Structure formats: C-alpha cells, structure tokens
Amino acid sequence: MKVLSRIMDNPILALELRQRVRNPAILVTIVIYILIIAFIFLVSYLDIETKRQNNVVLGQQFFYTIAYAEFILLSVYLSIITSQAIISELKAKTFGFILSSPMSAGSIIFGKLASTFILIVLLLSVSLPLKIIGTVVGGIDIFTIISFMFFMLIYSIFLSSIGVFISSVVRNNRSAIFFMLGFNFCIFIISLIFVEVFRYYSKTQNLPLISVLFPINIIYGFANGSVNFLIFKFKIPFWIPTILILGLFIVFFNYLSARSIKRFDEPITLLPPKYNLGIIACFLLILFLSFWSSYSRTTSMITSSRISYSNIDNTLRFFSAYFLYVSIFFISAIPFFPIIPRCKSNELLPNDRYLFPLNLPRNAGDDIVKFLLYFSVILIGPFLSIIFFPKTFTGQDKIVFYYFLMTFLSLVPYVTFSRLLQNIMPKKRIAVTLYFILVLVYLGITFILNSTKALKSPADFILGSMNALYFVSDTIKDGFSNQGIIKTDFILYTSVNLSICFFTSVFWILLDIALKPLNQLKIYLPNLEDY
Amino acid sequence: MIEIIRLKKNYGNLNALKGIDMSINFKEIYGFIGPNGAGKSTTLRILSTLTRDYEGEVVIDNMHLDINNRYELRKQIGFMPDVVGIYRHIFVWEYLDFFCRAYEVPPSKRNKIIDDCLALVDLSEKKNSLVGHLSRGMTQRLLLAKTLVHNPKILLLDEPASGLDPRARIELLMLLKELKSMGKTILISSHILSEMEGLCDRFGIIEAGEMVFEGSLDDIQIKLRSGNYISLGFYRELSKPENEAILEIEDVIEMKGEGKEYTILCNDGDESIKKIMKHLIMSDFPIISFSPRKYNLDEVFMKITKGKVQ
C-alpha cells in the first residue's frame, strides 16, 4: 500500500491525470479509437462472412485483426503523445518550475510514463468487448487475450520511454513526432517487410527469426512466435527474452532521458564520455551473449526441429536475423545525427556536444569515424565468437560473415548524405525531411524490384535497401543469387559493393566540402590525446 | 545568507557572467538591477540550482552549492522565473497541490498550507477557479504563492512585477514587504527601478556580466559624490541676468529648469552647499525653497552603468 500511495503521490502523475481527465480531447480520442477498431472489425467480419469459414478460423481472424489494428493505432498515438511529454512543458514554460523543485529526473520520467501507462490501460480496456468476440465465437482463449494486453502494455512502456527520450533531446514538437513516427516505421514496417521476404525464400512458415523479431515487432511475434528456444540448452519460453530485451531498452532510454533532463539548459549530451565505455561494454556483452547463447548452430537446429534446415540455411538465417536486429536499431539512430549542430565552421566542439565522445571537426568525415565506431562495437561480438568458438565458423559460414560486414559498410553513404543535408540545407527540418524521403525512395525501389523478382536472395534485398546503387550493376545482382553466394567468387563481389559504398560516401563528402564557403575550409587531423 | 564569489558562466563564446561577487544578508530584500542581457537571470538560475556548469563559488545558508546538495538546497529556495508558466486546465488549489507534492510537503499538511498561501496572496476566493481563467496580476500572485508552499527561507524572484498594471504592481510590492516581515530573505531582479527604491535594503547593479556596484542607496550616494543636486524654488520667475548671476556663483557647475523651479548641480561637499545658500540669501534672490537632494535610483543607474551590451 505504501508503494502504491507513493506512486500516486508523484506530482507529475497527479498533474497529468488531472489535466487529461479535464481535457475533452481524451473523450474524443477514446471515441475515435473505438470507432476505428469497430470499423476494422466490421470490414473483417464482412470479409469472413463471404468466405464462410468455421468458427475457430472466424474467432482467430476477428481477434488478430483487432489486435493488429490496436497495435498500429496505439503505436501512432503513443508516438504523438509521448514525444510531446517534455516539449509541451517547455512550450508552456513550466519546465523551469519542475526542474527547480527537488523532484528527481527519474521521478519526472516515471510520472510521464505512468500517466501514459494508465491511458493505455484505458484504451486497451475500452476495446476489450470487441476482443472478447474472438473467445465467444471460438478459437481464442482468455489467456491469449490477457497475454496480448500484457505484452501491449510492456511494449507501450518501451515506446513511451523512447518517446520521452526524444522529447527530452529534440526541442521542436513536429520534429519529435517525426522522429518517433520514423522510429515506429523502422521497427514495424521494415521488420515486417524483412520477415515476409525471409518467409518467402525459406519456403516455410516458422523461422528462428521470429524469436529475434518479437521484441522489435511485438505483434508479429505474438501472432507467430509462441515457440520455445534454447539458451545454454535450457528451454526458455519465448516471452522471457522478449521482456528482458524490452526491459533493457526501457532502462537504457530512460537513463538517457534522465541524463538529458538533468542537464537540460546545457548543450545536448546523449552519452557523456565517462559513462560511454560502460554503456558500450554492456551492449557488447548483450550482443555477445545473444549471439552465442541464442543462436549457435545447435540452438537454431533445435529451435527449428520441426523443419529440416541445412546448416548453411540456419546460419544464414541467424546472421541475417542478427544483422536485422542490430541494424534496425542503428538505422533508427541515424536520424539522430541532425541533433548535432549544423556545420557553420570547422572549429572543434566541446566534448559533450557530440553524440559520441569523439572530438572531431564538424564535417562529413567525423560521422564516418563515428559510424566505424558503431560498426566495430557491433562486430566485436561475432569476432570474439570466432576466436572462442572457431568450430561454429567454418567453410561457407565465413561468407555470411562477409555479408554482414558488407551490409553495414553500405550504411556509410547514408550517414555522409545525412551530414551533407544538414550542412547545406537552410533548416534542419528540411534536411531531415529530405533524408527520410531518400530513405523511402530507396526502400520503395527495392520493394518494387523485389516484387518483380528482380532480386534473388534475402541478402540482395537487404543490400538493395541500403544502397540503391547496388542495382546499377547486373553483374552484381546475378552474383548474389542464392546459388551465386556459394559458387561465385564472393570476395570479388564484396569488393565491388564496398567500392560503390566508398565512392558514394566520398562523393557526398566532396560535395559537402565544395558547398562550404572557402574561408571555412580547413583540414583538421584527429588529435589522439582527445581519446 | 547568500554568498557569491567570482561567479563565471559562459554560453559558448559569450561570457554571461565575468566573475561577479555578491552577498545577501539574512532577512533583507536585495534588488538586483541591470539592463536586459546583463546576466541577472543567469545568476538567478545558478542560485536556483537550475544551471550547473559555472565557475566560482556559491554559498547558500552556509551550504556550498554543488551537485550533491542541490536537491537539499532547493527545499530552502523559492524560485519564481521571469516567464509565466502555468497549467491552464487545472484548478488553483490543484496547481498549488502539484508544488506541495513536488516539494514533498506531507499530505496531512497540504490543505492548510494551500489555504494559508492563497490567503496570503489574496486569492482564497479563486481556490476553485481554473488557473487559465485568472488575470495576469492574479497569475503572478499565484506564482508567488507556489514559491511559498514549502516555506522557503530564500525567495529568488526574477522580474516578478513585469507585465503588471500599476495596481497589481503596488499590491505585489506590499506583499513582498509582508514577506520580508515574515523573515524571508528576498533577492529580486528587476529593471523597474522606481519600485525597487522604496522596497530594497541593498542593491547590486550588474552590467555586461560584471557587478558594477553593490550596497545601499546611501552607499551609492557616497560613491557618486562628484557633485550635489540642489532644488531651488522662487516666488517669481527669474530674469535672464538673475539666471546668469546664479551660474556665476562659485561652485555652481550647471543649472537646469525654468519659471520658478530650478535644479543646480554644484561641486561636492557640504561647504559648497552652504556657500551657495549664503550667496542666494545675501544677494536677495526671491527664494522660497532650498533643498539639496540625493540621486534617485534612475539617476544612480544611469550614472553607474555605461550602456554596455554583450
């Protein structure tokens, strides 16, 4: 009871609830929310009615349709409200009052998250009668509905944490919503596209990939992933790693938010240097453990025991999934680059103005160094695995490793292009918009090419989505077909693709330099003492 | 009560504070004066523990302000920033309740404290009104009430009277006097000098990040003793020769005015005043009043500051 009264005594929680209860917008929100879900349910009903399916299929389809709709609606709604959490205080000029009180940053964040949590409980509850229809008709048990709501609540906290974090570092409300929706796009849409492509090429419905996708695309995992998988030969239910991974992200983002709030009137500091090594070490440990424990060859074979995979298929899938999992996180981080001040001169910035503690001159080149830092951190996991468990990496498995390496390097042109846009565009907002348009165009081209079967392997799809120039060469496209992976000279094609990445990056950097006023053009070399 | 030693703060290349020293005594009202951009708000933000990266030393109530004790110090301080930030969709009592919670006031005492604070700022009747429905003057008084909910020893008020009509201003000043009588130490920043004059015990004048003067109005008079002002009143208008005769008196530097009212600036020292008075009487000028006067705060401010901007 003491804990509960302490929670309810949180000033921010009380304030938010009072404001929301009194605001007619909440009523409108609930009405619109339930109307949309009801409409989707009606469409689903009419669709099923025409097919005249049995009750089990009917009930399941009702429930999963509503669940998908609810997931998307809540993701969008949460993105909008949580990305305003701190910015709205700034706009109302009330944040100074909050910061000058003895309230801790953790208490402020907790209040914001708790009020959002209550709101989500409310929204999930109002749609409960519709979800129950799945049970009434048949095919869905109560436990499924409860567990769906439970996972949705955890996912909501995860999204809210990211929303509050974005709200604490971005000073413009439209940009914050834009970032949040972009993040949702990355974790939901892209992961769905990837998994569907993998499904198509694997010729089966159940993949080890689902275990990886579950935390980042919870609805997909929920609908498909009620599998157990092994950690150190212990059978673990799928929801345990999900909660752990989401929990880690929640802690991580709330930590960043708290740091940002504590130093609010000072320059933006996402990762203060003294904590950086610790955070990188934690990430490294997580990546290393997840790599070895969850997805060693033995595990993936057991996980997919119902389906006969060849070893090479499993390893390929593992690497692709691993790549996907990590890359989506980092792709979503790339738009944060515009947070760094625009390039007005080549002067060195104070250390804490950087996203990462590399005190380098502000031009496109420093982003590459930062990116290589990300890259090396991610690769250390697999490298250590190769060193400690050499038997896992034999023969053709190395090819997959090259794939992994290559695809990451192909992100470099994105980073350099992002920096170019920041430097030459009059407003940061325009730069970010253009950047996202570019990303969407690339993805769109890839998607079209994939649907016309121009691509021949999942890896082609990944590469293509990262670097549109890849499609220029028919030779490369043919070289990376499923057969080509094994039969052709892989190193040759890797080199070609890396060259394309390299020259694209160099092109953006040169353009960046060329567009700067000449009097600002200086060349700095990184000072090793800064590290 | 508050001691600031060589306080420096930079925003990039801008030196907002260039090593100011300041001391505020217990139970006094300290007027912090300076033009816009002089560094008043920056100083107040540092004192209110909002800004962390600065150089120098700040001692509040015998505690050195640092990262470890700022939460403790916040309980001693009531800070009212220069911007009016309010939650419009909650009731007045809820607004104060929010700050009671934020300052960890025990739930059992909250209702009484809210009632007392509202009574003090004369807003009891508005307890159940929405904050968004209050007038500007009432809002300002509500903000003052919220700085008092945790009974702080020190009040930091940044431009509390800005944007208020004359009546609301006078009411606010009376309220501040009442708070002083209750034993609060008040640091008030403003650039409405006429109001500060009768209110503050001591002043600090800041310009371009530097403290150009600190002390009472009497101290300033002594410091500015490069001349005296004397107000003269005559029962008839002076003729031109009479005007010139006054200017020819030894020690008179300049003379302003017309008709029957004049102000003369003379050399420093009581001897000069005595000499001029004697001369005017002996020369049979139609004089009916003779009053040496002090600089008012506006004149002091103009004399001390140079109009520097950063």
Side-chain angles (χ1 to χ4, degrees):
Chain A
M1 284 305 285
K2 261 190 175 179
V3 176
L4 188 65
S5 67
R6 200 164 165 75
I7 288 172
M8 292 314 290
D9 205 38
N10 183 292
I12 301 283
L13 176 59
L15 178 78
E16 293 276 332
L17 290 180
R18 280 170 178 163
Q19 290 198 117
R20 282 195 180 136
V21 165
R22 216 152 287 146
N23 197 337
I26 186 68
L27 193 66
V28 176
T29 306
I30 291 173
V31 171
I32 292 175
Y33 178 78
I34 202 71
L35 279 178
I36 292 173
I37 291 180
F39 176 75
I40 291 167
F41 173 77
L42 184 69
V43 172
S44 164
Y45 174 78
L46 292 173
D47 177 54
I48 296 165
E49 185 64 20
T50 54
K51 291 176 186 166
R52 301 215 174 259
Q53 288 162 320
N54 66 46
N55 275 9
V56 171
V57 176
L58 200 74
Q60 284 182 344
Q61 191 162 340
F62 279 155
F63 175 74
Y64 283 113
T65 306
I66 292 168
Y68 267 93
E70 204 158 29
F71 175 79
I72 293 167
L73 281 176
L74 284 182
S75 299
V76 173
Y77 183 60
L78 272 176
S79 300
I80 293 167
I81 59 164
T82 58
S83 60
Q84 303 301 300
I86 306 292
I87 295 172
S88 62
E89 299 279 358
L90 276 175
K91 293 261 175 202
K93 294 173 179 161
T94 49
F95 206 50
F97 292 148
I98 294 176
L99 289 181
S100 62
S101 75
M103 250 189 294
S104 66
S107 175
I108 297 169
I109 294 167
F110 176 80
K112 295 282 179 192
L113 291 183
S115 62
T116 312
F117 182 82
I118 291 171
L119 188 66
I120 296 302
V121 170
L122 186 68
L123 290 176
L124 283 172
S125 307
V126 294
S127 65
L128 196 58
L130 284 173
K131 289 194 281 271
I132 292 284
I133 291 175
T135 310
V136 176
V137 175
I140 294 291
D141 57 6
I142 290 290
F143 176 76
T144 308
I145 295 174
I146 293 169
S147 56
F148 167 75
M149 290 177 73
F150 173 72
F151 280 115
M152 274 309 297
L153 285 174
I154 293 177
Y155 188 72
S156 300
I157 301 170
F158 164 68
L159 268 190
S160 304
S161 304
I162 297 165
V164 172
F165 165 65
I166 287 176
S167 183
S168 68
V169 291
V170 179
R171 300 287 183 269
N172 177 298
N173 52 1
R174 273 183 290 180
S175 305
I177 293 174
F178 192 71
F179 279 135
M180 233 355 237
L181 291 176
F183 184 85
N184 266 329
F185 176 81
C186 287
I187 61 174
F188 182 68
I189 305 293
I190 295 179
S191 60
L192 266 188
I193 293 170
F194 277 125
V195 84
E196 288 307 324
V197 173
F198 275 101
R199 186 199 291 278
Y200 176 80
Y201 284 104
S202 69
K203 299 183 182 71
T204 179
Q205 292 299 305
N206 291 305
L207 298 170
L209 180 65
I210 287 162
S211 307
V212 183
L213 275 174
F214 193 92
I216 53 173
N217 190 339
I218 204 160
I219 193 71
Y220 190 91
F222 185 78
N224 300 280
S226 53
V227 292
N228 295 323
F229 68 105
L230 297 187
I231 293 179
F232 298 113
K233 295 184 183 174
F234 293 104
K235 206 173 178 184
I236 304 290
F238 69 97
W239 53 267
I240 290 180
T242 300
I243 291 174
L244 281 177
I245 290 170
L246 283 180
L248 276 171
F249 275 118
I250 289 168
V251 170
F252 178 68
F253 279 108
N254 286 335
Y255 167 78
L256 290 184
S257 306
R259 289 218 52 91
S260 176
I261 285 172
K262 277 181 184 170
R263 301 172 64 86
F264 203 78
D265 62 339
E266 288 151 28
I268 291 163
T269 310
L270 292 190
L271 293 176
K274 61 179 176 180
Y275 296 108
N276 246 16
L277 284 178
I279 291 168
I280 289 172
C282 287
F283 255 99
L284 202 65
L285 189 68
I286 294 163
L287 289 170
F288 177 71
L289 286 176
S290 68
F291 171 78
W292 184 74
S293 61
S294 307
Y295 302 107
S296 72
R297 180 178 297 182
T298 319
T299 309
S300 62
M301 282 171 71
I302 296 167
T303 311
S304 56
S305 56
R306 282 172 289 173
I307 309 127
S308 61
Y309 286 141
S310 69
N311 286 343
I312 181 69
D313 281 347
N314 274 335
T315 316
L316 174 66
R317 286 190 184 92
F318 145 62
F319 268 109
S320 306
Y322 187 78
F323 154 78
L324 187 67
Y325 178 63
V326 183
S327 70
I328 283 174
F329 180 75
F330 282 100
I331 290 167
S332 66
I334 290 174
F336 285 101
F337 277 101
I339 290 170
I340 300 167
R342 288 177 59 216
C343 178
K344 287 180 182 163
S345 72
N346 275 339
E347 289 169 8
L348 290 175
L349 282 171
N351 226 15
D352 62 358
R353 293 291 289 268
Y354 282 94
L355 208 58
F356 278 79
L358 289 174
N359 203 358
L360 292 169
R362 280 186 283 180
N363 58 28
D366 72 317
D367 285 343
I368 294 182
V369 179
K370 283 175 201 165
F371 192 80
L372 289 176
L373 177 77
Y374 296 148
F375 180 54
S376 57
V377 167
I378 294 174
L379 275 190
I380 286 172
F383 268 122
L384 289 177
S385 301
I386 293 167
I387 292 164
F388 290 112
F389 310 102
K391 285 181 183 172
T392 318
F393 281 81
T394 53
Q396 299 296 337
D397 294 2
K398 286 177 184 170
I399 292 172
V400 186
F401 185 73
Y402 284 123
Y403 245 109
F404 182 68
L405 180 123
M406 191 175 63
T407 19
F408 258 96
L409 280 178
S410 68
L411 284 173
V412 175
Y414 269 69
V415 180
T416 51
F417 184 73
S418 152
R419 175 43 59 117
L420 167 75
L421 288 175
Q422 286 173 62
N423 289 345
I424 63 172
M425 287 296 137
K427 287 189 175 174
K428 211 179 272 183
R429 205 183 306 155
I430 301 172
V432 175
T433 312
L434 280 175
Y435 175 78
F436 271 96
I437 288 172
L438 176 96
V439 174
L440 289 174
V441 167
Y442 275 17
L443 289 173
I445 291 170
T446 317
F447 194 75
I448 293 163
L449 286 170
N450 182 59
S451 62
T452 57
K453 304 289 180 282
L455 296 175
K456 294 178 182 175
S457 79
D460 284 324
F461 185 86
I462 295 166
L463 282 171
S465 64
M466 298 305 160
N467 187 353
L469 286 175
Y470 174 66
F471 298 111
V472 174
S473 167
D474 286 336
T475 317
I476 297 168
K477 194 170 64 186
D478 290 337
F480 283 110
S481 64
N482 262 336
Q483 288 73 34
I485 272 181
I486 297 161
K487 290 179 182 172
T488 57
D489 188 349
F490 187 79
I491 299 296
L492 173 69
Y493 293 112
T494 307
S495 308
V496 171
N497 197 55
L498 285 180
S499 304
I500 291 170
C501 291
F502 174 74
F503 285 116
T504 316
S505 306
V506 169
F507 173 72
W508 294 131
I509 292 169
L510 288 177
L511 196 61
D512 187 14
I513 291 170
L515 291 170
K516 273 180 201 165
L518 280 177
N519 60 359
Q520 290 183 4
L521 194 61
K522 294 175 187 171
I523 296 169
Y524 285 90
L525 289 172
N527 184 358
L528 285 177
E529 287 176 7
D530 290 335
Y531 300 90
Chain B
M1 193 70 178
I2 299 176
E3 196 78 35
I4 291 175
I5 303 156
R6 289 185 292 283
L7 188 64
K8 287 183 189 174
K9 170 71 187 170
N10 299 330
Y11 293 109
N13 294 327
L14 177 77
N15 299 325
L17 296 175
K18 298 171 183 168
I20 64 166
D21 293 307
M22 197 163 128
S23 69
I24 300 164
N25 301 322
F26 186 52
K27 290 186 184 180
E28 83 172 357
I29 301 186
Y30 187 97
F32 198 32
I33 305 166
N36 289 333
K40 302 189 297 291
S41 294
T42 303
T43 310
L44 260 68
R45 285 180 72 81
I46 291 171
L47 287 175
S48 65
T49 76
L50 279 178
T51 298
R52 295 198 311 179
D53 280 357
Y54 60 86
E55 288 175 44
E57 209 173 326
V58 177
V59 182
I60 300 172
D61 200 17
N62 296 324
M63 274 198 277
H64 285 260
L65 173 60
D66 61 43
I67 193 163
N68 298 318
N69 63 10
R70 62 199 174 113
Y71 287 109
E72 194 54 42
L73 276 173
R74 283 175 187 176
K75 293 178 186 172
Q76 314 286 334
I77 296 169
F79 177 51
M80 184 170 158
D82 55 342
V83 287
V84 179
I86 49 166
Y87 299 104
R88 306 184 69 81
H89 300 293
I90 56 174
F91 295 122
V92 166
W93 74 266
E94 286 175 336
Y95 186 76
L96 295 183
D97 179 67
F98 169 71
F99 288 100
C100 283
R101 287 165 188 257
Y103 282 92
E104 296 165 10
V105 175
S108 56
K109 292 182 181 171
R110 280 179 202 161
N111 285 342
K112 188 177 181 317
I113 285 173
I114 290 170
D115 287 342
D116 289 350
C117 288
L118 286 175
L120 185 69
V121 298
D122 203 15
L123 280 178
S124 298
E125 286 178 9
K126 296 286 177 184
K127 185 179 175 182
N128 293 313
S129 302
L130 282 177
V131 174
H133 290 173
L134 298 182
S135 68
R136 179 71 198 269
M138 287 176 181
T139 307
Q140 209 74 353
R141 277 188 277 151
L142 178 64
L143 290 180
L144 193 58
K146 82 93 194 153
T147 61
L148 297 170
V149 290
H150 57 294
N151 193 20
K153 290 181 188 168
I154 300 162
L155 296 179
L156 306 174
L157 312 177
D158 197 358
E159 308 276 2
S162 68
L164 296 186
D165 61 46
R167 186 177 182 83
R169 250 180 226 174
I170 292 164
E171 283 172 357
L172 189 74
L173 295 177
M174 284 166 64
L175 191 57
L176 292 178
K177 280 180 184 167
E178 198 175 332
L179 288 171
K180 188 197 169 189
S181 68
M182 290 164 69
K184 307 282 180 202
T185 304
I186 302 172
L187 170 58
I188 175 169
S189 95
S190 178
H191 46 229
I192 304 167
L193 306 179
S194 54
E195 286 162 1
M196 305 279 274
E197 200 169 342
L199 180 72
C200 301
D201 301 306
R202 291 198 310 132
F203 298 89
I205 299 178
I206 187 172
E207 186 179 33
E210 287 173 294
M211 196 68 125
V212 288
F213 177 79
E214 190 186 31
S216 65
L217 209 51
D218 287 339
D219 295 335
I220 299 177
Q221 302 293 341
I222 293 164
K223 186 181 173 176
L224 294 179
R225 272 283 169 91
S226 58
N228 291 317
Y229 279 109
I230 304 169
S231 296
L232 300 175
F234 302 96
Y235 59 77
R236 63 167 169 80
E237 288 187 10
L238 294 184
S239 62
K240 202 175 174 187
E242 283 173 328
N243 252 318
E244 285 166 2
I246 292 174
L247 274 171
E248 279 168 14
I249 300 170
E250 195 188 345
D251 290 337
V252 171
I253 299 166
E254 64 173 16
M255 180 166 156
K256 284 178 187 169
E258 55 186 348
K260 297 175 185 174
E261 302 282 334
Y262 290 86
T263 302
I264 58 173
L265 176 66
C266 63
N267 287 333
D268 194 14
D270 293 342
E271 275 305 308
S272 299
I273 298 171
K274 201 172 150 188
K275 216 185 279 180
I276 293 164
M277 191 178 172
K278 194 175 173 186
H279 189 99
L280 289 171
I281 293 166
M282 298 295 283
S283 306
D284 208 18
F285 276 91
I287 189 160
I288 52 167
S289 68
F290 181 97
S291 53
R293 69 171 178 82
K294 293 175 177 179
Y295 290 105
N296 64 30
L297 198 53
D298 287 321
E299 287 162 344
V300 167
F301 184 74
M302 291 306 288
K303 230 169 159 48
I304 285 181
T305 59
K306 291 165 188 160
K308 279 194 274 180
V309 276
Q310 297 197 83

